[in-house]
Amino acid sequence: MMPLGPKYTPTEWKIYQFILSNKDKVVTFSLRQLALKLDVSPASVVRTIKKMGYEHYSDLNKQLKHELNIPIVDDDITFQANFYFHQPIINSYTRKFEAFKRLTNNITDFIFYGIGTSNDLASYGARQFVNNGRSAFVVSDPFYPIDRIQNAYHNKAVIVLSVSGETTPTIEQVMNFRTHGAKVISITNNSDNTIANLSDLNFSYFLESKIVGRKLNLTSQIPVVYILERLSRSLQD
């Protein structure tokens, strides 16, 4: 049985009771899906599982699988990958890839943008597009003076990578790209963030965030690689 931990608020008690009474269902939910099911915030779920003695939602999931005699994947990366590729959202991407093709029908150049790890993946994405016969390049400088050339980005699409969707320099650059005529496609961990809301089209992947210290984001980027490759190949269909 899972540890009780400190005293629960009424919302946390509701979450705790649901988890104990519906273990077989909870192991199929992401953190966000569980929050939606219970009409609570993801933060409330996180607080609850921490009071139950678990550092991450994946730790709770492993314990539930153990209690249900479901095979457990030991390493977190494999767990995250398995979870991602079994989400219903994978099937919903088909419609979005079609929307991407329509949105970029008259696009001549693809610009990739991201900061940190997202910049490395942006470079990978640009290379995939070139490999598939499209003109593409990456902007590596987060302070690249986009606004210095008026209307330079018509017939261009910007593919923006950001795990949180709330990185200030990226938000500012997205606004500059939009102001100067570019279509914006974003890839973020969730769909409720500033960059997603500024985009013409957003792809989100809904994995549990992994933050080390105050700023280091170790959320798995396997979904980003998958989406980038699907995007590049969708233009060949």
Side-chain angles (χ1 to χ4, degrees), residues 169-234:
T170 305
I171 292 171
E172 292 174 351
Q173 292 291 53
V174 167
M175 293 176 69
N176 285 333
F177 277 122
R178 286 188 61 89
T179 298
H180 294 290
K183 299 295 184 183
V184 176
I185 298 95
S186 61
I187 303 175
T188 58
N189 189 30
N190 64 76
S191 58
D192 185 18
N193 58 71
T194 302
I195 290 173
N197 291 330
L198 286 170
S199 302
D200 296 286
L201 183 63
N202 171 257
F203 290 84
S204 44
Y205 43 98
F206 301 110
L207 289 186
E208 181 183 5
S209 294
K210 301 286 185 180
I211 308 296
V212 175
R214 296 181 62 183
K215 294 184 178 180
L216 186 58
N217 197 319
L218 296 182
T219 305
S220 175
Q221 295 296 279
I222 291 172
V224 177
V225 173
Y226 170 76
I227 293 168
L228 288 171
E229 294 195 5
R230 286 287 306 271
L231 286 173
S232 67
R233 298 185 187 187
S234 71

Coordinates of all heavy atoms in Angstrom, one line a residue, residues 169-234:
P169 N 13.2 35.0 -24.7 CA 13.7 35.4 -26.0 C 13.0 34.7 -27.1 O 12.9 35.3 -28.2 CB 15.2 34.9 -25.8 CG 15.5 34.9 -24.4 CD 14.2 34.5 -23.7
T170 N 12.6 33.5 -26.9 CA 11.9 32.8 -28.0 C 10.5 33.4 -28.3 O 10.1 33.5 -29.4 CB 11.7 31.3 -27.6 OG1 13.0 30.7 -27.3 CG2 11.1 30.5 -28.7
I171 N 9.8 33.8 -27.2 CA 8.5 34.5 -27.4 C 8.7 35.7 -28.2 O 8.0 36.0 -29.2 CB 7.9 34.8 -26.0 CG1 7.5 33.5 -25.3 CG2 6.7 35.7 -26.2 CD1 7.0 33.7 -23.9
E172 N 9.8 36.5 -27.9 CA 10.0 37.8 -28.6 C 10.3 37.5 -30.1 O 9.9 38.2 -30.9 CB 11.2 38.5 -27.9 CG 10.8 39.0 -26.5 CD 12.0 39.6 -25.8 OE1 13.1 39.5 -26.3 OE2 11.8 40.2 -24.7
Q173 N 11.1 36.5 -30.3 CA 11.5 36.2 -31.7 C 10.2 35.7 -32.5 O 10.1 36.0 -33.7 CB 12.6 35.2 -31.8 CG 13.9 35.7 -31.3 CD 14.5 36.7 -32.2 OE1 13.9 37.7 -32.5 NE2 15.8 36.5 -32.6
V174 N 9.4 34.9 -31.9 CA 8.2 34.4 -32.5 C 7.3 35.6 -32.9 O 6.8 35.7 -34.0 CB 7.4 33.5 -31.6 CG1 6.0 33.2 -32.1 CG2 8.1 32.1 -31.5
M175 N 7.2 36.6 -32.0 CA 6.4 37.8 -32.3 C 7.0 38.5 -33.5 O 6.3 39.1 -34.3 CB 6.3 38.6 -31.1 CG 5.5 38.0 -29.9 SD 5.5 39.0 -28.4 CE 4.5 40.4 -28.9
N176 N 8.4 38.6 -33.5 CA 9.0 39.3 -34.6 C 8.8 38.6 -36.0 O 8.5 39.2 -37.0 CB 10.6 39.4 -34.4 CG 10.9 40.4 -33.3 OD1 10.2 41.4 -33.2 ND2 12.0 40.2 -32.6
F177 N 8.9 37.2 -35.9 CA 8.7 36.5 -37.2 C 7.3 36.7 -37.7 O 7.0 36.9 -38.9 CB 8.9 35.0 -36.9 CG 10.3 34.5 -37.0 CD1 10.9 33.9 -35.9 CD2 11.1 34.7 -38.1 CE1 12.3 33.5 -36.0 CE2 12.4 34.3 -38.2 CZ 13.0 33.7 -37.1
R178 N 6.3 36.7 -36.8 CA 4.9 36.8 -37.2 C 4.7 38.2 -37.7 O 4.0 38.4 -38.8 CB 4.0 36.6 -36.0 CG 3.8 35.2 -35.6 CD 2.7 35.0 -34.5 NE 1.4 35.5 -35.0 CZ 0.5 34.7 -35.7 NH1 0.8 33.5 -35.9 NH2 -0.6 35.2 -36.1
T179 N 5.2 39.2 -37.1 CA 5.1 40.6 -37.5 C 5.6 40.8 -38.9 O 5.0 41.6 -39.7 CB 5.8 41.6 -36.6 OG1 5.2 41.5 -35.3 CG2 5.7 43.0 -37.0
H180 N 6.6 40.1 -39.3 CA 7.2 40.3 -40.6 C 6.8 39.2 -41.6 O 7.5 39.0 -42.6 CB 8.8 40.3 -40.4 CG 9.2 41.6 -39.7 ND1 9.1 42.8 -40.2 CD2 9.7 41.7 -38.4 CE1 9.5 43.7 -39.3 NE2 9.9 43.0 -38.2
G181 N 5.7 38.6 -41.4 CA 5.1 37.8 -42.4 C 5.2 36.3 -42.4 O 4.7 35.6 -43.3
A182 N 5.9 35.7 -41.4 CA 6.2 34.3 -41.4 C 5.0 33.5 -40.8 O 4.2 34.0 -39.9 CB 7.4 33.9 -40.6
K183 N 4.8 32.3 -41.3 CA 3.9 31.3 -40.6 C 4.7 30.7 -39.5 O 5.8 30.4 -39.6 CB 3.4 30.3 -41.6 CG 2.6 30.8 -42.8 CD 1.3 31.5 -42.3 CE 0.5 31.9 -43.5 NZ -0.8 32.6 -43.1
V184 N 4.0 30.4 -38.4 CA 4.7 29.9 -37.2 C 4.1 28.5 -36.8 O 2.9 28.4 -36.6 CB 4.6 30.8 -36.0 CG1 5.3 30.2 -34.8 CG2 5.3 32.2 -36.3
I185 N 5.0 27.5 -36.8 CA 4.6 26.2 -36.3 C 5.4 25.9 -35.1 O 6.7 26.0 -35.1 CB 4.9 25.1 -37.4 CG1 4.0 25.4 -38.6 CG2 4.6 23.7 -36.8 CD1 4.7 26.1 -39.7
S186 N 4.8 25.6 -34.0 CA 5.6 25.3 -32.8 C 5.5 23.9 -32.3 O 4.5 23.2 -32.5 CB 5.1 26.3 -31.7 OG 3.8 26.1 -31.3
I187 N 6.5 23.4 -31.6 CA 6.5 22.1 -31.0 C 6.8 22.3 -29.5 O 7.9 22.8 -29.2 CB 7.6 21.2 -31.6 CG1 7.3 21.0 -33.1 CG2 7.5 19.8 -30.9 CD1 8.4 20.2 -33.8
T188 N 5.9 22.1 -28.6 CA 6.0 22.4 -27.2 C 5.5 21.2 -26.4 O 4.8 20.3 -26.9 CB 5.2 23.6 -26.8 OG1 3.8 23.5 -27.1 CG2 5.8 24.9 -27.5
N189 N 5.8 21.1 -25.1 CA 5.4 20.0 -24.3 C 3.9 20.0 -24.1 O 3.3 18.9 -24.0 CB 6.2 19.9 -23.0 CG 5.9 18.7 -22.2 OD1 5.6 17.6 -22.8 ND2 5.9 18.7 -20.9
N190 N 3.3 21.2 -23.9 CA 1.9 21.3 -23.7 C 1.3 22.3 -24.7 O 2.1 23.1 -25.3 CB 1.5 21.5 -22.3 CG 2.0 22.9 -21.8 OD1 1.5 23.9 -22.1 ND2 3.1 22.9 -21.0
S191 N 0.0 22.4 -24.8 CA -0.6 23.3 -25.7 C -1.1 24.6 -25.1 O -1.6 25.5 -25.8 CB -1.8 22.6 -26.4 OG -2.8 22.1 -25.4
D192 N -1.0 24.7 -23.8 CA -1.5 25.9 -23.1 C -0.3 26.7 -22.6 O 0.1 26.7 -21.5 CB -2.3 25.5 -21.9 CG -3.0 26.7 -21.2 OD1 -3.0 27.8 -21.8 OD2 -3.4 26.6 -20.0
N193 N 0.4 27.4 -23.6 CA 1.5 28.3 -23.3 C 1.5 29.4 -24.3 O 0.8 29.4 -25.3 CB 2.8 27.5 -23.2 CG 3.1 26.8 -24.6 OD1 3.4 27.5 -25.6 ND2 3.0 25.5 -24.6
T194 N 2.4 30.4 -24.0 CA 2.4 31.6 -24.9 C 2.8 31.3 -26.3 O 2.2 31.8 -27.2 CB 3.4 32.6 -24.3 OG1 3.0 32.9 -22.9 CG2 3.4 33.9 -25.1
I195 N 3.8 30.5 -26.5 CA 4.3 30.3 -27.9 C 3.3 29.5 -28.6 O 3.0 29.8 -29.8 CB 5.7 29.5 -27.8 CG1 6.7 30.5 -27.3 CG2 6.0 29.0 -29.2 CD1 8.1 29.9 -27.1
A196 N 2.7 28.5 -28.0 CA 1.6 27.7 -28.7 C 0.5 28.6 -29.1 O -0.1 28.5 -30.2 CB 1.1 26.6 -27.8
N197 N 0.1 29.6 -28.2 CA -1.0 30.5 -28.5 C -0.6 31.5 -29.6 O -1.6 32.0 -30.3 CB -1.4 31.2 -27.3 CG -2.1 30.3 -26.3 OD1 -2.7 29.3 -26.6 ND2 -2.0 30.6 -25.0
L198 N 0.6 31.7 -29.8 CA 1.1 32.7 -30.9 C 1.2 32.0 -32.2 O 1.4 32.6 -33.2 CB 2.4 33.3 -30.5 CG 2.4 34.4 -29.4 CD1 3.8 34.7 -29.0 CD2 1.6 35.6 -29.9
S199 N 1.1 30.6 -32.2 CA 1.4 29.9 -33.4 C 0.2 29.7 -34.3 O -0.9 29.7 -33.9 CB 2.0 28.5 -33.0 OG 3.1 28.6 -32.2
D200 N 0.5 29.5 -35.6 CA -0.5 29.2 -36.6 C -0.9 27.7 -36.4 O -2.1 27.3 -36.7 CB -0.1 29.4 -38.0 CG 0.2 30.9 -38.3 OD1 -0.8 31.6 -38.4 OD2 1.4 31.3 -38.3
L201 N 0.0 26.9 -35.9 CA -0.2 25.5 -35.7 C 0.8 25.0 -34.6 O 2.0 25.4 -34.6 CB 0.1 24.7 -37.0 CG -0.2 23.2 -37.0 CD1 -1.7 22.9 -36.7 CD2 0.3 22.6 -38.3
N202 N 0.2 24.2 -33.7 CA 1.1 23.7 -32.6 C 1.0 22.2 -32.5 O -0.1 21.6 -32.6 CB 0.6 24.3 -31.2 CG 1.3 23.7 -30.0 OD1 0.7 22.9 -29.3 ND2 2.5 24.1 -29.8
F203 N 2.2 21.6 -32.3 CA 2.2 20.2 -31.9 C 2.7 20.1 -30.5 O 3.8 20.6 -30.1 CB 3.2 19.5 -32.9 CG 2.8 19.3 -34.3 CD1 2.9 20.4 -35.2 CD2 2.1 18.2 -34.7 CE1 2.5 20.3 -36.5 CE2 1.7 18.1 -36.0 CZ 1.9 19.1 -36.9
S204 N 2.0 19.4 -29.7 CA 2.4 19.2 -28.3 C 2.5 17.7 -28.0 O 1.8 16.9 -28.6 CB 1.4 19.9 -27.3 OG 0.1 19.7 -27.7
Y205 N 3.2 17.3 -26.9 CA 3.5 15.9 -26.7 C 3.2 15.5 -25.2 O 3.1 14.3 -24.9 CB 4.9 15.5 -27.1 CG 6.0 16.5 -26.7 CD1 6.7 16.3 -25.5 CD2 6.3 17.6 -27.5 CE1 7.8 17.1 -25.2 CE2 7.3 18.5 -27.1 CZ 8.1 18.2 -26.0 OH 9.1 19.1 -25.6
F206 N 2.9 16.4 -24.3 CA 2.4 16.0 -23.0 C 3.1 15.0 -22.2 O 2.6 14.0 -21.8 CB 0.9 15.6 -23.1 CG 0.0 16.6 -23.8 CD1 -0.5 16.4 -25.0 CD2 -0.3 17.8 -23.1 CE1 -1.3 17.4 -25.6 CE2 -1.1 18.8 -23.7 CZ -1.6 18.6 -25.0
L207 N 4.4 15.2 -22.0 CA 5.2 14.4 -21.1 C 5.4 15.1 -19.8 O 5.4 16.3 -19.7 CB 6.6 14.0 -21.7 CG 6.6 13.1 -22.9 CD1 8.0 12.8 -23.3 CD2 5.8 11.8 -22.7
E208 N 5.7 14.3 -18.7 CA 5.9 14.9 -17.4 C 7.2 15.7 -17.5 O 8.3 15.2 -18.0 CB 6.1 13.8 -16.4 CG 6.3 14.3 -15.0 CD 6.5 13.2 -14.0 OE1 6.5 12.1 -14.4 OE2 6.7 13.6 -12.8
S209 N 7.2 16.9 -17.1 CA 8.4 17.8 -17.1 C 9.4 17.3 -16.1 O 9.1 16.9 -15.0 CB 8.0 19.2 -16.8 OG 7.2 19.8 -17.8
K210 N 10.7 17.3 -16.5 CA 11.8 16.9 -15.7 C 12.7 18.1 -15.5 O 13.4 18.5 -16.5 CB 12.6 15.8 -16.3 CG 11.8 14.5 -16.5 CD 11.4 13.8 -15.2 CE 10.7 12.5 -15.5 NZ 10.4 11.8 -14.3
I211 N 12.7 18.8 -14.4 CA 13.5 20.0 -14.2 C 14.5 19.7 -13.1 O 14.2 19.3 -12.0 CB 12.6 21.2 -13.7 CG1 11.4 21.4 -14.7 CG2 13.4 22.5 -13.6 CD1 11.8 21.8 -16.1
V212 N 15.8 20.0 -13.4 CA 16.9 19.9 -12.5 C 17.3 21.3 -12.1 O 17.6 22.1 -12.9 CB 18.0 19.1 -13.1 CG1 19.2 19.0 -12.1 CG2 17.6 17.7 -13.4
G213 N 17.4 21.5 -10.8 CA 17.8 22.9 -10.3 C 16.6 23.8 -10.6 O 15.5 23.5 -10.6
R214 N 17.0 25.0 -11.0 CA 16.0 26.0 -11.3 C 15.6 26.1 -12.8 O 14.5 26.5 -13.1 CB 16.5 27.4 -10.8 CG 16.7 27.5 -9.3 CD 17.1 28.9 -8.9 NE 16.1 29.9 -9.2 CZ 16.3 31.2 -9.0 NH1 17.4 31.6 -8.5 NH2 15.3 32.1 -9.4
K215 N 16.6 25.7 -13.7 CA 16.3 26.0 -15.1 C 16.6 24.8 -16.0 O 16.1 24.8 -17.1 CB 17.2 27.2 -15.5 CG 16.8 28.5 -14.9 CD 17.7 29.6 -15.5 CE 17.3 31.0 -14.9 NZ 18.1 32.1 -15.4
L216 N 17.4 23.8 -15.6 CA 17.8 22.8 -16.5 C 16.6 21.8 -16.8 O 16.1 21.1 -15.8 CB 19.0 22.0 -15.9 CG 19.6 20.9 -16.9 CD1 20.1 21.6 -18.2 CD2 20.7 20.2 -16.2
N217 N 16.2 21.8 -18.0 CA 15.0 21.0 -18.4 C 15.5 19.7 -19.0 O 16.1 19.7 -20.1 CB 14.1 21.8 -19.3 CG 12.7 21.2 -19.4 OD1 12.5 20.0 -19.5 ND2 11.7 22.1 -19.5
L218 N 15.1 18.6 -18.4 CA 15.6 17.2 -18.9 C 14.4 16.4 -19.4 O 14.4 15.2 -19.5 CB 16.3 16.4 -17.8 CG 17.6 17.0 -17.3 CD1 18.2 16.1 -16.2 CD2 18.6 17.2 -18.4
T219 N 13.3 17.1 -19.7 CA 12.1 16.4 -20.3 C 12.5 15.7 -21.6 O 13.3 16.3 -22.4 CB 11.0 17.5 -20.6 OG1 10.7 18.2 -19.5 CG2 9.7 16.7 -21.2
S220 N 12.1 14.5 -21.8 CA 12.5 13.7 -22.9 C 12.2 14.4 -24.2 O 11.1 15.0 -24.4 CB 11.9 12.3 -22.9 OG 12.2 11.6 -24.1
Q221 N 13.1 14.4 -25.2 CA 12.9 15.0 -26.5 C 12.7 14.0 -27.6 O 12.7 14.4 -28.8 CB 14.1 15.9 -26.8 CG 14.3 17.1 -25.8 CD 13.2 18.1 -25.9 OE1 13.1 18.9 -26.8 NE2 12.2 18.0 -25.0
I222 N 12.5 12.8 -27.2 CA 12.1 11.8 -28.2 C 10.9 12.2 -29.0 O 10.9 12.0 -30.3 CB 11.9 10.4 -27.5 CG1 13.2 9.9 -27.0 CG2 11.3 9.4 -28.5 CD1 13.1 8.6 -26.1
P223 N 9.8 12.7 -28.4 CA 8.7 13.2 -29.2 C 9.0 14.2 -30.2 O 8.5 14.3 -31.3 CB 7.7 13.7 -28.2 CG 8.1 13.0 -26.9 CD 9.6 12.9 -27.0
V224 N 10.0 15.1 -29.9 CA 10.3 16.2 -30.8 C 11.0 15.6 -32.1 O 10.7 16.1 -33.2 CB 11.3 17.2 -30.1 CG1 11.7 18.3 -31.1 CG2 10.6 17.8 -28.9
V225 N 11.9 14.7 -31.9 CA 12.6 14.1 -33.0 C 11.5 13.4 -33.9 O 11.5 13.5 -35.2 CB 13.6 13.0 -32.6 CG1 14.2 12.3 -33.7 CG2 14.7 13.7 -31.8
Y226 N 10.6 12.7 -33.3 CA 9.5 12.0 -34.0 C 8.7 13.0 -34.9 O 8.4 12.8 -36.0 CB 8.6 11.2 -33.1 CG 7.4 10.7 -33.7 CD1 7.4 9.5 -34.5 CD2 6.1 11.3 -33.4 CE1 6.2 9.0 -35.0 CE2 5.0 10.8 -34.0 CZ 5.0 9.7 -34.8 OH 3.9 9.2 -35.3
I227 N 8.3 14.1 -34.2 CA 7.4 15.1 -34.9 C 8.2 15.7 -36.0 O 7.7 15.9 -37.1 CB 6.9 16.1 -33.9 CG1 6.0 15.5 -32.9 CG2 6.2 17.3 -34.6 CD1 5.6 16.4 -31.7
L228 N 9.5 16.1 -35.8 CA 10.3 16.7 -36.9 C 10.4 15.8 -38.1 O 10.3 16.2 -39.2 CB 11.7 17.0 -36.3 CG 11.8 18.2 -35.3 CD1 13.2 18.3 -34.7 CD2 11.4 19.5 -36.0
E229 N 10.7 14.5 -37.8 CA 10.8 13.6 -39.0 C 9.4 13.4 -39.7 O 9.4 13.3 -40.9 CB 11.3 12.2 -38.5 CG 12.8 12.4 -38.0 CD 13.5 11.0 -37.8 OE1 12.9 10.0 -38.2 OE2 14.6 11.0 -37.3
R230 N 8.4 13.3 -38.9 CA 7.0 13.2 -39.6 C 6.7 14.5 -40.4 O 6.2 14.4 -41.5 CB 5.9 13.0 -38.5 CG 5.9 11.6 -37.9 CD 5.4 10.6 -38.8 NE 4.1 10.9 -39.4 CZ 2.9 10.6 -38.8 NH1 2.9 10.0 -37.6 NH2 1.8 10.9 -39.4
L231 N 7.1 15.6 -39.9 CA 6.8 16.9 -40.6 C 7.6 16.9 -41.9 O 7.1 17.3 -43.0 CB 7.2 18.1 -39.7 CG 6.3 18.5 -38.6 CD1 6.9 19.6 -37.8 CD2 4.9 18.9 -39.1
S232 N 8.9 16.6 -41.8 CA 9.7 16.6 -43.0 C 9.2 15.6 -44.1 O 9.2 15.9 -45.3 CB 11.2 16.3 -42.7 OG 11.4 15.0 -42.3
R233 N 8.8 14.5 -43.7 CA 8.3 13.5 -44.7 C 6.9 13.7 -45.1 O 6.6 13.3 -46.2 CB 8.5 12.1 -44.0 CG 9.9 11.7 -43.7 CD 10.1 10.3 -43.3 NE 11.5 10.1 -42.8 CZ 12.0 8.9 -42.5 NH1 11.3 7.9 -42.5 NH2 13.3 8.8 -42.1
S234 N 6.2 14.5 -44.3 CA 4.8 14.7 -44.8 C 4.7 15.6 -46.0 O 3.8 15.5 -46.8 CB 4.0 15.4 -43.6 OG 4.5 16.8 -43.5

